[in-house]
Amino acid sequence: MTFEIKLKAGFFKTQTYYLTVEAEQIILTPLDDPETERQVIDKKELKSISIYSRNMTSGELEIITHSNTYLGSISSSADLEELTRCLALEFGDKFNFQHGNV
């Protein structure tokens, strides 16, 4: 399943990515910059993945691996619900969803 997200790429800069969840992997494919290579994160490299949402219309995404941290946002409520389901199924206890006051 593929979702459009925005990842932080600098202090005041974000880039649009496709986030694909499949076969115990997260694949981050950049849309804005063809020079940037896609990132493939295997389940064994993943420490945790978290979504923080106040109102189920948008959410903040945090992916922590052994060597990197990716921070971003999800702006579509339909994508937020579906992404939450996909991540819970694919990554189990490595996935955390916090809803409410975050």
Side-chain angles (χ1 to χ4, degrees):
M1 195 111 221
T2 300
F3 307 90
E4 190 172 306
I5 64 168
K6 299 247 184 225
L7 282 183
K8 292 183 181 180
F11 195 68
F12 287 110
K13 184 179 177 188
T14 61
Q15 287 184 304
T16 305
Y17 278 77
Y18 282 135
L19 182 149
T20 304
V21 179
E22 64 180 32
E24 297 187 342
Q25 290 184 328
I26 296 171
I27 303 167
L28 300 169
T29 307
L31 297 178
D32 299 336
D33 185 2
E35 306 265 326
T36 304
E37 290 187 29
R38 73 183 189 145
Q39 301 290 318
V40 178
I41 303 166
D42 289 318
K43 185 175 183 176
K44 65 180 182 240
E45 295 173 43
L46 187 67
K47 284 187 172 182
S48 69
I49 182 164
S50 302
I51 294 178
Y52 308 98
S53 175
R54 288 199 171 111
N55 52 18
M56 288 306 287
T57 59
S58 64
E60 298 298 315
L61 175 69
E62 178 183 69
I63 301 169
I64 300 175
T65 68
H66 293 286
S67 61
N68 207 346
T69 298
Y70 303 88
L71 301 172
S73 62
I74 307 136
S75 58
S76 164
S77 61
D79 281 354
L80 179 61
E81 289 181 40
E82 188 62 28
L83 178 57
T84 300
R85 277 193 288 274
C86 284
L87 293 172
L89 284 172
E90 201 70 39
F91 300 106
D93 62 348
K94 291 187 178 193
F95 174 66
N96 179 41
F97 177 68
Q98 290 186 353
H99 176 62
N101 293 333
V102 280

